[in-house]
């Protein structure tokens, strides 16, 4: 599509196709007593519906959203990856991990004045003169040490990062990340709209053992994938993108399974990017995003960045636990079911809620100033949720140091 679409009502028609598919899936899921596997299998066999959906999504993305929303989901994802991998984001995150670890392993005993004194952990013994560990390393060294612990393995990240970012775009439709030279973009979809996207059912994708080869060899392996893609090796991607993917599924458990699979496909310290429609004009999206964050972090991620606008919620998560480490702390089998329920969307309970990204009238009416204030407030609420707070001077008695 070389020219921007000007046909009157075109966006409405395309949006209607998308919304009808989503509504049909949720209806069949409810009528089928929650048998999401049967519903999904039937959906994947409906080639006509899948083809119409793929064309509608490609048309909306390329002809409408990209022209009306300059800072769109693709650009935000690209900027996030550049900031994290090439502009010090990963290094700063590792520094913060080190400070958090040191603080959590310190004891704060009371001195003779009943004031707290920041001490070394018990394994190091004794308090330092400046209130930090005597054998603590610089922030840069802490970041390097965190990666050096796994530097003898294949398929790991080295600082400074160099080479192509291996990106898996799930539900890709038309593989928009091919436009960025920094990415080795692998687009997969149950119904590709273009030839550069591989046909793949991500929910039923089989995972193989990690490739014990160099990074360049992994790149060549991915560049030689055969269509359709039915299996991929674990720990081979630097970025996994779920852009408007998770709300497609009728079951919260399917959304949870996707995040689990992303965790297995990512290397340690890599990124999962989740972009999803706002909960709707009728409700505040903060509670839903907090719930999603808690569920995703329980898998072994840590939220690194978040943002919201009038249509979408954007989140980026770091993989902070290896698969083996995560499985050892996962708890009882029922814990997964509990956490999956937290990945809800309002349409799970009330079909009248409309996914904001498909509102047809926004382009004509513009954004309500009151809504803009609301989005900014939601951003502040999400950012205020960062759980770690370093000790302040009021927590430390400097007189004995």
């Amino acid at each position: 599509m070389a020219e921007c679409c000007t046909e009157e009502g075109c966006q409405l028609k395309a949006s209607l196709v998308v919304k009808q598919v989503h509504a049909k899936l949720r209806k069949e899921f409810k009528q089928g007593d929650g048998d999401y596997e049967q519903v999904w299998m039937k959906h994947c066999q409906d080639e006509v519906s899948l083809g119409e959906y793929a064309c509608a999504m490609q048309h909306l993305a390329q002809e409408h959203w990209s022209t009306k929303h300059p800072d769109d989901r693709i650009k935000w994802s690209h900027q996030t990856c550049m900031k994290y991998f090439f502009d010090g984001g990963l290094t700063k995150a590792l520094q913060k991990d080190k400070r958090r670890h040191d603080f959590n392993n310190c004891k704060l005993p009371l001195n003779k004045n009943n004031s707290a004194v920041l001490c070394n952990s018990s394994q190091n013994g004794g308090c330092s003169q400046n209130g930090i560990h005597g054998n603590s390393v610089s922030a840069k060294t802490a970041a390097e040490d965190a990666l050096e612990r796994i530097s003898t393995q294949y398929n790991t990240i080295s600082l400074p990062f160099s080479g192509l970012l291996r990106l898996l775009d799930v539900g890709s439709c038309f593989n928009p990340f091919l436009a960025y030279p920094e990415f080795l973009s692998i687009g997969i979809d149950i119904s590709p709209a273009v030839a550069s996207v591989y046909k793949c059912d991500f929910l039923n994708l089989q995972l193989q053992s990690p490739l014990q080869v160099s990074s360049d060899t992994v790149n060549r392996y991915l560049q030689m994938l055969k269509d359709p893609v039915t299996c991929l090796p674990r720990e081979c991607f630097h970025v996994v993108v779920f852009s408007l993917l998770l709300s497609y599924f009728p079951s919260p458990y399917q959304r949870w399974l996707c995040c689990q699979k992303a965790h297995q496909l990512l290397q340690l310290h890599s990124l999962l990017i989740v972009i999803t429609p706002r909960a709707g004009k009728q409700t505040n999206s903060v509670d839903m995003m907090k719930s999603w964050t808690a569920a995703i972090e329980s898998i072994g991620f840590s939220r690194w960045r978040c943002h919201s606008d009038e249509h979408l919620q954007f989140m980026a998560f770091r993989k902070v636990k290896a698969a083996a480490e995560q499985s050892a702390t996962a708890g009882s089998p029922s814990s997964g079911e509990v956490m999956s329920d937290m990945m809800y969307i309002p349409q799970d309970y009330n079909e009248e809620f409309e996914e904001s990204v498909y509102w047809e009238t926004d382009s004509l009416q513009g954004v309500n100033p009151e809504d803009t204030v609301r989005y900014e407030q939601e951003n502040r609420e999400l950012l205020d949720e960062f759980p770690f707070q370093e000790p302040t001077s009021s927590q430390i008695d400097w007189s004995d140091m």
Side-chain angles (χ1 to χ4, degrees):
M1 300 179 185
E3 299 180 358
C4 180
C5 177
T6 58
E7 180 183 346
E8 184 177 356
C10 179
Q11 183 179 3
L12 173 61
K13 295 176 184 177
S15 298
L16 187 60
V17 169
V18 172
K19 290 188 290 187
Q20 285 178 337
V21 170
H22 292 179
K24 180 182 178 182
L25 278 171
R26 289 191 287 266
K27 180 179 179 180
E28 292 179 350
F29 174 67
K30 293 174 182 177
Q31 292 178 342
D33 295 325
D35 187 354
Y36 67 86
E37 291 181 330
Q38 183 64 33
V39 171
W40 188 247
M41 182 183 301
K42 178 182 176 183
H43 177 63
C44 290
Q45 294 171 349
D46 188 351
E47 296 291 342
V48 174
S49 178
L50 290 176
E52 292 176 349
Y53 184 95
C55 290
M57 281 296 294
Q58 182 186 18
H59 189 72
L60 284 171
Q62 293 186 310
E63 299 297 319
H64 296 282
W65 297 340
S66 62
T67 58
K68 296 167 186 173
H69 308 289
D71 297 323
D72 67 359
R73 57 202 173 97
I74 309 304
K75 292 178 182 177
W76 187 90
S77 300
H78 174 258
Q79 292 167 358
T80 296
C81 291
M82 295 304 100
K83 183 177 180 67
Y84 182 74
F85 288 101
F86 297 107
D87 195 25
L90 173 55
T91 299
K92 292 177 182 177
L94 292 171
Q95 293 170 5
K96 197 168 289 185
D97 289 346
K98 178 65 165 57
R99 294 196 298 271
R100 181 187 293 111
H101 177 271
D102 288 349
F103 180 57
N104 289 339
N105 284 280
C106 285
K107 296 182 179 180
L108 294 173
L110 297 178
N111 65 7
K112 60 183 179 181
N113 298 319
N114 291 328
S115 299
V117 179
L118 184 59
C119 294
N120 291 318
S121 59
S122 56
Q123 62 181 4
N124 295 324
C127 295
S128 65
Q129 294 298 313
N130 59 2
I132 60 176
H133 294 179
N135 64 343
S136 65
V137 294
S138 67
K140 179 179 179 181
T141 305
E144 292 173 344
D145 285 350
L147 291 177
E148 285 175 359
R149 285 195 292 271
I150 56 173
S151 63
T152 58
Q153 305 173 16
Y154 289 106
N155 303 332
T156 57
I157 299 172
S158 299
L159 289 177
F161 188 91
S162 62
L164 293 173
L165 285 171
R166 294 191 291 271
L167 180 147
L168 181 65
D169 185 16
V170 185
S172 178
C173 187
F174 61 100
N175 207 350
F177 293 102
L178 278 180
Y180 296 96
E182 298 90 352
F183 295 133
L184 194 171
S185 177
I186 304 298
I188 59 175
D189 201 299
I190 56 172
S191 182
V194 297
S196 61
V197 177
Y198 296 96
K199 185 177 179 65
C200 175
D201 178 6
F202 188 70
L203 276 177
N204 292 301
L205 177 72
Q206 300 300 306
L207 300 184
Q208 301 172 326
S209 299
L211 298 175
Q212 301 299 317
V213 294
S214 68
S215 181
D216 288 343
T217 304
V218 176
N219 291 350
R220 288 194 293 271
Y221 172 88
L222 293 176
Q223 290 169 334
M224 297 175 63
L225 288 174
K226 303 298 183 182
D227 199 6
V229 172
T230 58
C231 59
L232 285 171
R234 294 181 176 87
E235 302 174 14
C236 65
F237 288 98
H238 303 118
V239 185
V240 172
V241 178
F242 293 160
S243 180
L244 304 181
L245 172 81
L246 297 181
S247 60
Y248 185 113
F249 298 107
S251 165
Y253 192 65
Q254 290 173 305
R255 301 168 202 144
W256 165 261
L257 289 177
C258 284
C259 295
Q260 281 191 319
K261 190 157 290 185
H263 186 271
Q264 294 176 294
L265 286 166
L266 284 167
Q267 295 180 3
L268 192 63
H269 302 301
S270 294
L271 284 183
L272 168 63
I273 293 177
V274 176
I275 302 172
T276 196
R278 288 177 50 81
K281 290 184 176 179
Q282 308 96 318
T283 185
N284 190 305
S285 294
V286 172
D287 289 341
M288 187 182 94
M289 288 300 95
K290 287 181 180 179
S291 182
W292 279 37
T293 296
I296 294 173
E297 287 189 337
S298 72
I299 297 173
F301 290 102
S302 176
R303 195 187 68 201
W304 182 70
R305 192 181 187 193
C306 64
H307 175 67
S308 66
D309 65 15
E310 66 269 25
H311 291 292
L312 300 170
Q313 299 284 353
F314 307 76
M315 294 185 290
F317 295 87
R318 300 168 51 222
K319 177 178 175 177
V320 294
K321 290 184 179 181
E325 181 183 1
Q326 174 57 20
S327 62
T329 59
S332 63
S334 62
S335 62
E337 298 178 7
V338 173
M339 299 309 296
S340 68
D341 289 341
M342 297 178 69
M343 299 199 67
Y344 69 90
I345 59 175
Q347 292 82 3
D348 292 340
Y349 311 106
N350 187 346
E351 194 61 44
E352 294 181 1
F353 281 100
E354 186 175 2
E355 297 159 300
S356 61
V357 73
Y358 309 115
W359 296 333
E360 306 86 18
T361 56
D362 283 350
S363 59
L364 301 176
Q365 298 177 353
V367 179
N368 188 323
E370 294 182 0
D371 287 339
T372 301
V373 173
R374 176 181 169 190
Y375 308 142
E376 292 176 351
Q377 175 61 29
E378 290 182 3
N379 279 328
R380 286 193 294 270
E381 288 186 42
L382 286 171
L383 291 173
D384 287 343
E385 286 297 300
F386 188 71
F388 173 66
Q389 182 177 0
E390 296 186 51
T392 63
S393 58
S394 62
Q395 295 175 281
I396 305 170
D397 185 341
W398 298 99
S399 60
D400 286 352
M401 297 183 183

